């Protein structure tokens, strides 16, 4: 019960971050969506054993988080919450892929371990970028931006409703879980027997609540379009932001900058 | 033509499961009137209110706002004219901040961004909630939520205010504050409420709804004196008309 309510508050906090003002927050949502998209594509397009060349991409969160005044610890915690799922995905890489890729004296590091580490770093970077995007833009503006970038409106509105429905569902689940817990006297209640009907009730209640919210939206002139009161325009700062990051990502993707740096420092080719 | 008139003619509503919520209801509310629709639970009050701005479609009968009959084509205009305050402010406040929520309606009306700022500020000031503009709605107290919900409706400049249980769940101070606020509005006002003392103070006219039919439509003072009618409709006199419970307990001899 507490964890559900805490999760809602946590989720709402991410949305609230978007209401702040910073040089990043005031930028047009479209450039932030584009930059994030190119960042994610660049990061995931590396080979599975790539590790070192991913590291320079940390410059993106390292610059964006302080500039946007986002709480680092909070974001780190949110990303860490997802890491068990990533570990599950890559868990068997070290078991099946035992070819040693690197050899340090007697110790050989297999390709499996390298690919697992690469997967973790990629998830850190991409999930982090997505959180930075939502934290500096807000989900509503992200949806508006993707619509203005050419995604059909129906998809954008569906996404928005999905986002709203998460809060409605979570609120109702929190209430239902509390009611159940209070009447099960510290035991497991009726267990699975009551679970089915509880889920059914939850669905119906959420449905009704979502309908009431929709009615409230209709009563205030909602016709399937979300408007934003923040004026957005594609100006010089947007252009600099877009070109700056894009050229950096492309350079990092096509040129082995850590390798070149190593070569420059040690004087030998890697 | 006045937008402030609400006319309901032989309204009937049957829910898809066959429940008859409203059998036959007709009334006419004119410019500037403040009317209460009261009745027991399940009398059809909320169903009736939801028809007034097209949230529900009638099974039979007509609704006119001003001279305009309520239909699909007139719905956008009618929804601007009739501002609806929901019973639960949590259903009404769904945007990330109070400002966004109050701006939601005016933005849908197509107002420019420059006008929005003023419209929102005016609406929030009117309900005394200017200082809450950047707060998220779920962090507000019950009374604050109610006032912000009213601001979201006022920001659309409606001619008619329709309110479902406006004072429910409020503490005595917040209730009094809200009543003073509502008293100051010159809109045509339609309330449903179980708070009969509020009805007595704010509404000159009262309609009693009972099992989908109108049982009485008369001046409020007259209705609250008719004890027989009230008890037949599962109602009773407002507390302020019932006398002091302590004094009544005092032996007369």
């Amino acid at each position: 019960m507490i964890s559900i309510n805490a999760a809602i508050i946590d989720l709402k906090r991410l949305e609230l971050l978007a209401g702040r003002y910073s040089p990043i927050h005031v930028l047009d949502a479209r450039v932030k969506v584009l930059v994030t998209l190119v960042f994610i594509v660049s990061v995931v397009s590396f080979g599975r054993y790539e590790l070192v060349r991913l590291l320079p991409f940390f410059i993106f969160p390292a610059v964006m988080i302080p500039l946007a005044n986002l709480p680092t610890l909070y974001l780190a915690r949110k990303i860490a919450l997802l890491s068990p799922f990533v570990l599950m995905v890559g868990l068997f890489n070290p078991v099946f892929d035992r070819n040693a890729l690197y050899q340090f004296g007697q110790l050989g590091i297999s390709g499996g371990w390298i690919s697992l580490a690469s997967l973790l770093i990629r998830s850190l970077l991409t999930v982090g970028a997505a959180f930075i995007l939502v934290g500096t833009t807000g989900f509503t503006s992200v949806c508006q931006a993707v619509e203005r970038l050419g995604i059909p409106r129906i998809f954008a509105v569906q996404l928005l409703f999905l986002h709203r429905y998460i809060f409605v569902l979570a609120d109702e689940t929190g209430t239902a879980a509390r009611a159940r817990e209070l009447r099960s006297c510290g035991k497991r209640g009726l267990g699975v027997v009551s679970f089915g009907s509880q889920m059914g009730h939850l669905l119906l209640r959420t449905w009704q609540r979502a309908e009431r919210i929709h009615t409230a939206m209709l009563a205030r002139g909602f016709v399937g379009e979300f408007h934003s009161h923040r004026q957005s325009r594609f100006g010089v700062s947007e252009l600099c932001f877009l070109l700056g990051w894009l050229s950096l990502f492309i350079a990092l993707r096509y040129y082995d900058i850590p390798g070149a740096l190593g070569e420059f420092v040690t004087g030998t080719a890697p | 033509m006045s937008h402030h008139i609400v006319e309901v003619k032989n309204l009937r509503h049957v829910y898809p499961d066959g429940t008859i919520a409203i059998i036959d209801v007709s009334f006419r509310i004119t410019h500037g009137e403040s009317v209460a629709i009261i009745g027991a639970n399940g009398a059809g009050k909320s169903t009736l209110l939801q028809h007034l701005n097209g949230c529900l479609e009638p099974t039979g009968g007509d609704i006119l706002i001003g001279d305009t009959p309520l239909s699909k084509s007139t719905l956008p205009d009618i929804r601007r004219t009739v501002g609806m305050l929901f019973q639960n402010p949590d259903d009404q406040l769904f945007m990330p901040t109070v400002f966004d929520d109050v701006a939601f309606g005016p933005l849908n009306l197509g107002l420019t961004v420059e006008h929005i700022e003023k419209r929102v500020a005016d609406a929030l000031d009117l309900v005394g909630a200017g200082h809450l503009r950047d707060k998220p709605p779920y962090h507000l107290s019950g009374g604050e939520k109610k006032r912000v919900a009213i601001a979201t409706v006022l920001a659309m400049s409606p001619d008619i205010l329709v309110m479902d249980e406006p004072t429910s769940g409020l503490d005595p101070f917040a209730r009094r504050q809200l009543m003073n606020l509502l008293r100051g509005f010159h809109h045509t006002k339609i309330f449903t409420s179980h708070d009969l003392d509020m009805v007595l103070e704010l509404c000159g006219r009262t309609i009693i709804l009972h099992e989908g039919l109108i049982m009485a439509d008369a001046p409020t003072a007259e209705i609250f004196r008719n004890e027989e009618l009230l008890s037949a409709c599962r109602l009773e006199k407002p507390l302020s008309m019932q006398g002091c419970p302590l004094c009544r307990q005092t032996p007369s001899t």
Side-chain angles (χ1 to χ4, degrees):
Chain A
M1 156 189 126
I2 289 166
S3 62
I4 292 173
N5 288 333
I8 305 169
I9 292 170
D10 209 40
L11 203 60
K12 284 173 178 169
R13 188 175 168 200
L14 185 66
E15 192 70 8
L16 275 183
L17 291 176
R20 295 183 177 184
Y21 279 90
S22 80
I24 305 295
H25 282 80
V26 295
L27 290 173
D28 190 304
R30 285 170 296 176
V31 288
K32 287 185 265 183
V33 171
L34 274 176
V35 164
T36 310
L37 201 66
V38 174
F39 176 80
I40 290 173
V41 170
S42 313
V43 168
V44 297
S45 68
F46 278 105
R48 59 189 298 214
Y49 296 126
E50 198 54 70
L51 203 61
V52 182
R53 285 186 62 189
L54 288 173
L55 298 178
F57 280 91
F58 277 101
I59 191 166
F60 181 63
V63 170
M64 290 287 277
I65 291 174
L67 263 185
N69 198 15
L70 295 176
T72 317
L73 269 178
Y74 168 73
L75 287 182
R77 220 179 50 237
K78 287 206 84 64
I79 298 169
L81 274 178
L82 283 172
S83 52
F85 297 99
V86 182
L87 277 176
M88 286 281 281
V89 172
L91 194 64
F92 292 105
N93 286 13
V95 181
F96 293 119
D97 188 354
R98 289 168 175 274
N99 294 334
L101 272 193
Y102 296 103
Q103 198 76 40
F104 296 105
Q106 290 296 309
L107 182 70
I109 297 181
S110 71
W113 284 109
I114 300 288
S115 63
L116 176 63
S118 173
L119 197 66
L120 267 174
I121 289 181
R122 265 179 247 223
S123 72
L124 272 180
L125 285 169
T126 51
V127 173
F131 280 136
I132 291 171
L133 175 67
V134 177
T136 56
T137 316
F139 201 78
T140 314
S141 302
V142 170
C143 291
Q144 282 163 351
V146 294
E147 190 195 327
R148 287 172 73 189
L149 286 170
I151 303 276
R153 175 183 293 172
I154 183 99
F155 291 122
V157 173
Q158 281 293 322
L159 257 177
L160 269 173
F161 275 121
L162 186 72
H163 180 244
R164 299 234 168 287
Y165 202 71
I166 290 173
F167 289 107
V168 174
L169 185 67
D171 272 346
E172 292 288 344
T173 314
T175 318
R178 181 183 297 146
R180 188 191 151 280
E181 197 174 285
L182 290 175
R183 282 191 287 154
S184 43
C185 309
K187 299 191 187 103
R188 288 176 53 215
L190 290 174
V192 188
V193 184
S194 68
F195 188 73
S197 80
Q198 208 166 26
M199 283 298 113
H201 272 286
L202 189 63
L203 176 71
L204 291 175
R205 279 227 312 262
T206 341
W207 193 313
Q208 283 178 337
R209 173 105 198 269
E211 255 183 11
R212 287 202 302 273
I213 294 176
H214 186 229
T215 311
M217 292 166 83
L218 289 178
R220 284 196 275 149
F222 178 71
V223 283
E225 206 176 331
F226 275 92
H227 307 271
S228 173
H229 62 87
R230 271 194 184 175
Q231 274 179 316
S232 61
R233 56 181 194 88
F234 204 94
V236 181
S237 43
E238 275 79 13
L239 195 67
C240 295
F241 182 80
L242 187 68
L243 291 180
W245 282 119
L246 253 51
S247 44
L248 180 68
F249 297 155
I250 292 167
L252 290 175
R253 177 66 191 87
Y254 287 104
Y255 300 102
D256 184 4
I257 290 172
L261 204 66
E263 194 180 340
F264 176 73
V265 173
T266 59
T268 51
Chain B
M1 178 188 114
S2 172
H3 271 308
H4 306 247
I5 293 170
V6 180
E7 189 162 8
V8 174
K9 290 180 185 166
N10 305 107
L11 182 73
R12 179 180 172 81
H13 189 85
V14 183
Y15 279 107
D17 67 351
T19 314
I20 305 173
I22 295 176
I23 299 170
D24 184 10
V25 163
S26 301
F27 58 79
R28 181 181 160 89
I29 294 170
T30 53
H31 193 154
E33 264 193 292
S34 181
V35 179
I37 297 173
I38 60 172
N41 294 127
K45 305 183 297 288
S46 295
T47 308
L48 173 60
L49 282 203
Q50 288 195 56
H51 280 87
L52 298 183
N53 75 345
C55 292
L56 282 179
E57 225 173 296
T59 312
D62 294 304
I63 293 158
L64 279 97
I65 306 295
D67 296 328
T68 317
L70 203 152
S71 68
K72 275 218 165 77
S73 58
T74 58
L75 210 53
D77 195 34
I78 282 182
R79 285 195 168 144
R80 194 206 62 72
T81 311
V82 182
M84 182 86 138
L85 183 73
F86 286 67
Q87 183 173 359
N88 182 357
D90 281 324
D91 291 338
Q92 192 144 10
L93 305 172
F94 44 76
M95 295 296 275
T97 68
V98 167
F99 184 94
D100 286 330
D101 233 313
V102 181
F104 181 84
L107 281 168
N108 284 329
L109 289 179
L111 258 72
T112 57
V113 176
E114 297 81 51
H115 287 105
I116 296 287
E117 184 76 27
K118 186 177 168 355
R119 186 70 82 90
V120 173
D122 288 350
L124 283 174
D125 284 343
L126 201 60
V127 298
H131 59 291
L132 303 172
R133 56 173 278 158
D134 294 321
K135 284 202 168 181
Y138 44 83
H139 279 173
L140 307 180
S141 72
E144 288 172 334
K145 276 185 193 169
K146 209 84 181 188
R147 279 187 286 148
V148 170
I150 294 177
T152 65
V153 175
L154 292 179
M156 295 182 74
S157 306
D159 299 315
I160 299 159
L161 282 177
V162 174
M163 287 169 272
D164 198 358
E165 302 273 1
T167 54
S168 72
L170 297 185
D171 65 50
F173 182 79
R175 171 179 171 273
R176 179 58 56 193
Q177 227 179 7
L178 185 79
M179 281 165 60
N180 289 338
L181 182 70
L182 295 178
R183 192 178 284 121
F185 293 158
H186 299 295
H187 305 75
T188 301
K189 294 186 282 268
I190 303 172
F191 302 91
T192 68
S193 189
H194 293 299
D195 182 353
L196 301 180
D197 290 279
M198 179 207 72
V199 170
L200 188 63
E201 280 192 45
L202 292 186
C203 306
R205 174 179 163 195
T206 295
I207 296 173
I208 298 187
L209 210 58
H210 186 61
E211 292 174 354
L213 286 168
I214 291 186
M215 297 297 280
D217 181 353
T220 304
E222 194 179 303
I223 282 195
F224 285 149
R225 278 196 208 103
N226 190 340
E227 276 188 64
E228 209 174 310
L229 170 72
L230 289 173
S231 79
C233 300
R234 297 171 52 134
L235 296 167
E236 57 178 35
K237 280 182 176 182
L239 295 175
S240 55
M241 286 175 72
Q242 291 185 13
C244 171
L246 294 176
C247 303
R248 274 191 299 176
Q249 281 168 15
T250 313
S252 54
T253 50

